[in-house]
Amino acid sequence: MKILHTSDWHVGKVLKGQSRADEHKQVLAGVIEIARDERPDLVIVAGDLYDTAAPSPEATRLVTRALTALRRTGADVVAIGGNHDNGQALDALRPWAEAAGITLRGGVRENPAEHVIEGTTRDGERWQLAALPFLSQRYAVRAVEMYELTAAEATQTYADHLGRVLTRLTEGFTEPDRVHLVTAHVTVVGATTGGGERDAHTVLGYAVPATVFPGNAHYVALGHLHRSQRVIGPCPIRYSGSPLAVDFGEQENVASVTLVEVTAQTAAQVREVPVPAAVPLRTVRGTLAQLAELTPPEGWLRVFVREQPRAGLREEVQELLPRALEIRIDPELVPAPGSGTRVAQRAGRSPRELFADYLDSRGHDDDGVRELFDELFEEVDR
């Protein structure tokens, strides 16, 4: 069978105030075109379809149309919820999805059988997929209790709970003539972040070892980390990465989907297929004079300015580089905390003096900013 694995679409993403709806249309059209060319038997979308738990109607239309178009290629389509998605809202779309022949699993259900999807390819290859949406710390405990596994003890870790749930979902991986698959939205120890993930859900408390996945799985399709990569483990494990760089920290990532060819008797053969790029993200740096001489690269820009902070600096850079979305003082020019000539002491000092000390500590020598602070302070102190 042939599988197209994608994840982390983050539809509805706004980058520094800039909507990326047109870019998402272009990128998802590219994913759909790959599916038409490759004719996979199964498409797996491993979470984070949306960038926010309250997506706009426009974002919802784009996701539902993309899933429908993928289904129309003749592939079975399975999509799970990620940490950015609202699992309950995704599950509310299940009647529509089922009518369209699409399998949606937004959150963990009480019946574990609902998370085990079965199918047969055009050529008669039988497959079974354990689909586990993102689980928060709290819901991991609830899932363990719902599935009547061993008692959830307070001292057990998130990895313990997730391992028990996966063991329950994959206990039917016993038939030798069936392809066994897993999809989940999770951080695996040893994998590399892409640069734009939500930190709260990638820290070590949420990381699980690769050994939570069964050794008899033919392929594990992961979402959550935005960089396409293989993970060393007891079976073939892979992140497809995001087909679009969601933040400047991901500007070097290669946008792609993962194609997998596998049978019940043969190992998975994996290849990456590039997705036509959206507007690229670039970082430039320099003084105002250097930026003025720069031929602006294509794409949205992050600018590190090699100038001392002052009022109006952002506007000057924006005039030179209209596509600059993020403008910051070059980190190399920012003094280390505590390196100022004076250390502010609160006792007995006025707000004006404290603010002046703060500006000095940051290398921000601008009388205009001090005067503006004085005006604002006088207004609120009346």
Side-chain angles (χ1 to χ4, degrees), residues 44-229:
I44 298 174
V45 187
D48 279 356
L49 287 79
Y50 298 106
D51 191 61
T52 171
S56 67
E58 179 185 27
T60 302
R61 278 194 300 271
L62 183 51
V63 166
T64 53
R65 288 175 179 175
L67 293 174
T68 300
L70 289 168
R71 175 63 180 138
R72 285 176 178 166
T73 67
D76 286 306
V77 177
V78 178
I80 62 173
N83 60 302
H84 282 253
D85 297 316
N86 183 325
Q88 291 181 330
L90 278 182
D91 282 333
L93 290 173
R94 283 181 62 172
W96 160 80
E98 289 168 3
I102 297 164
T103 301
L104 273 183
R105 294 294 181 265
V108 174
R109 314 288 286 189
E110 291 188 12
N111 181 3
E114 289 197 49
H115 293 278
V116 181
I117 299 108
E118 298 180 352
T120 304
T121 71
R122 304 175 184 93
D123 296 329
E125 188 81 52
R126 297 166 63 230
W127 55 268
Q128 187 176 56
L129 171 66
L132 180 63
F134 175 76
L135 277 173
S136 67
Q137 295 269 11
R138 179 163 54 100
Y139 280 95
V141 176
R142 285 187 56 187
V144 169
E145 292 171 341
M146 282 193 305
Y147 293 174
E148 297 180 350
L149 304 170
T150 58
E153 299 174 359
T155 57
Q156 291 176 327
T157 66
Y158 177 80
D160 291 329
H161 298 317
L162 203 73
R164 283 182 166 81
V165 172
L166 281 167
T167 297
R168 178 68 173 86
L169 296 183
T170 60
E171 64 184 14
F173 283 13
T174 56
E175 298 183 42
D177 61 344
R178 182 178 294 193
V179 176
H180 301 132
L181 307 167
V182 177
T183 184
H185 195 85
V186 67
T187 301
V188 177
V189 174
T192 304
T193 58
E197 299 87 352
R198 187 173 290 171
D199 288 343
H201 292 149
T202 55
V203 293
L204 289 180
Y206 269 93
V208 303
T211 51
V212 298
F213 301 109
N216 60 347
H218 289 83
Y219 181 73
V220 176
L222 297 182
H224 194 25
L225 303 188
H226 295 175
R227 180 174 297 174
S228 176
Q229 60 192 290

Side-chain angles (χ1 to χ4, degrees), residues 173-292:
F173 283 13
T174 56
E175 298 183 42
D177 61 344
R178 182 178 294 193
V179 176
H180 301 132
L181 307 167
V182 177
T183 184
H185 195 85
V186 67
T187 301
V188 177
V189 174
T192 304
T193 58
E197 299 87 352
R198 187 173 290 171
D199 288 343
H201 292 149
T202 55
V203 293
L204 289 180
Y206 269 93
V208 303
T211 51
V212 298
F213 301 109
N216 60 347
H218 289 83
Y219 181 73
V220 176
L222 297 182
H224 194 25
L225 303 188
H226 295 175
R227 180 174 297 174
S228 176
Q229 60 192 290
R230 175 189 173 216
V231 179
I232 303 300
C235 56
I237 304 170
R238 189 171 184 86
Y239 286 96
S240 68
S242 175
L244 174 142
V246 302
D247 210 335
F248 286 103
E250 301 181 6
Q251 62 187 27
E252 302 301 326
N253 292 355
V254 177
S256 64
V257 297
T258 299
L259 266 293
V260 183
E261 295 185 58
V262 64
T263 73
Q265 283 75 39
T266 60
Q269 301 297 314
V270 177
R271 58 190 169 95
E272 292 184 32
V273 179
V275 176
V279 178
L281 305 182
R282 309 289 190 199
T283 298
V284 297
R285 54 185 5 120
T287 64
L288 277 178
Q290 291 169 332
L291 295 175

Side-chain angles (χ1 to χ4, degrees), residues 325-339:
L325 297 184
E326 181 178 340
I327 300 170
R328 299 168 53 191
I329 301 300
D330 194 316
E332 295 179 4
L333 297 184
V334 178
S339 64

